[in-house]
Amino acid sequence: MLYLTIIRGPLKGRQFPVKNRLTLGRKGTDIIFPDSKTSSKHAQIQLKNGKFYITDLGSRNGIKSEAKTHQSLQLQLGLEFIIGENTLKVIEIQDEPLEKPQLEKITPHISTDSPLSHNTPIPSSTPKQLTWQEEYSQLLESLIEKAEDKHNSSLKTFKKDLTLKFERGLQAETQWNINYGPKTIGAESLEYPIYEKGAPGLCFQVLQNEQGIVFNTPHPKVVLLNGKSILSDTLCNGDIIQILETQIKVEL
């Protein structure tokens, strides 16, 4: 069975089965890419004459493959294409049938005095089987809840609202407004992901203390503050945070 595996982008490592009418976009679609270069309804997979195609739905940036923009592409093994800031590859995974566990048959004992003895049907307790979209949605919700619960006990409202404006890089023109913390920013962050290739999983953290909003980074050689390698410092209006080719302006 054909699958789409994401090899670059915030959902890197995720795999999705190729299905007819599967939609991809920034919101309200089967696969959601949270980046500004992906249109709301960007593309759709369509089955034509027994073959799958990925078709553009009038998006702003189109579907790119081999440095060209395409209206439609046949999904063949090994094909790589770009939607927004995400690179996808077509792979094949052999579905293995699941072995059904051997369950011991249990015959319930029903008393002759019980009302159930008079041909009353016993209700089925078979759980509802979730679709892969529902399982994926539950997984995301679970990860976000765990990340939030981890810091809930130490969250503090910022005395000044913090705005991070991306001025250069893959996320240029993106803007984040943060009013409480601590918050972590990095390639592995669910809430504030950095898409820059080679960016650390945790680039930096912002939190409130007595001096103001503090910037901390475990990677001062990669994450620079105003062009300098600094482990920790209090942020000021106009500061510049640089992560490789990504440049972020601080506004307070």
Side-chain angles (χ1 to χ4, degrees):
M1 182 176 181
L2 293 182
Y3 277 73
L4 296 179
T5 182
I6 301 174
I7 60 177
R8 190 174 297 110
L11 300 182
K12 181 179 178 180
R14 299 285 187 190
Q15 295 178 342
F16 302 90
V18 172
K19 296 182 179 181
N20 188 33
R21 305 184 69 81
L22 184 79
T23 53
L24 305 86
R26 194 175 67 252
K27 59 182 179 180
T29 53
D30 298 313
I31 302 177
I32 297 175
F33 297 119
D35 65 85
S36 58
K37 291 186 178 180
T38 300
S39 297
S40 297
K41 301 290 190 300
H42 199 109
Q44 183 181 55
I45 293 176
Q46 297 176 348
L47 182 63
K48 301 177 182 178
N49 299 322
K51 297 178 180 180
F52 286 106
Y53 292 81
I54 179 83
T55 302
D56 185 74
L57 296 178
S59 67
R60 184 174 67 254
N61 294 311
I63 302 170
K64 295 180 174 62
S65 181
E66 297 182 348
K68 296 180 181 179
T69 302
H70 302 264
Q71 173 62 30
S72 183
L73 283 169
Q74 184 181 341
L75 297 180
Q76 298 177 320
L77 281 179
L79 173 70
E80 293 185 11
F81 60 93
I82 298 172
I83 289 181
E85 297 173 356
N86 312 274
T87 302
L88 298 89
K89 183 175 182 178
V90 181
I91 63 172
E92 185 175 26
I93 297 178
Q94 297 296 333
D95 291 336
E96 297 181 0
L98 296 176
E99 293 185 4
K100 295 183 179 180
Q102 297 297 322
L103 300 178
E104 181 182 355
K105 185 176 180 180
I106 300 176
T107 303
H109 174 73
I110 301 177
S111 170
T112 56
D113 296 329
S114 170
L116 289 177
S117 63
H118 301 289
N119 299 322
T120 303
I122 299 176
S124 172
S125 59
T126 304
K128 177 186 176 183
Q129 185 175 0
L130 298 179
T131 64
W132 69 268
Q133 293 100 328
E134 291 170 332
E135 290 179 351
Y136 173 62
S137 177
Q138 288 186 3
L139 174 61
L140 282 182
E141 290 176 0
S142 175
L143 290 173
I144 292 172
E145 287 176 0
K146 287 180 181 178
E148 291 177 345
D149 290 344
K150 184 176 180 181
H151 298 292
N152 273 348
S153 60
S154 58
L155 288 177
K156 291 184 179 179
T157 301
F158 291 165
K159 294 180 181 178
K160 294 182 179 180
D161 287 348
L162 169 65
T163 299
L164 299 179
K165 286 188 174 182
F166 286 74
E167 296 187 328
R168 194 173 68 205
L170 293 174
Q171 293 163 267
E173 299 183 5
T174 299
Q175 177 174 305
W176 293 336
N177 298 311
I178 306 173
N179 52 27
Y180 67 93
K183 292 293 184 180
T184 56
I185 292 88
E188 296 179 358
S189 172
L190 293 174
E191 192 172 7
Y192 299 106
I194 297 295
Y195 302 154
E196 178 78 40
K197 183 178 180 180
L202 194 165
C203 291
F204 64 93
Q205 182 187 63
V206 289
L207 56 90
Q208 178 75 49
N209 69 7
E210 295 178 357
Q211 285 73 40
I213 299 176
V214 176
F215 160 93
N216 294 321
T217 178
H219 302 283
K221 293 184 178 180
V222 179
V223 182
L224 307 179
L225 181 61
N226 297 322
K228 298 178 181 179
S229 296
I230 298 175
L231 284 169
S232 181
D233 200 1
T234 302
L235 289 174
C236 297
N237 187 44
D239 281 348
I240 298 295
I241 300 170
Q242 187 167 342
I243 307 166
L244 301 174
E245 298 300 319
T246 296
Q247 182 171 298
I248 306 170
K249 184 178 181 180
V250 175
E251 292 187 358
L252 295 171

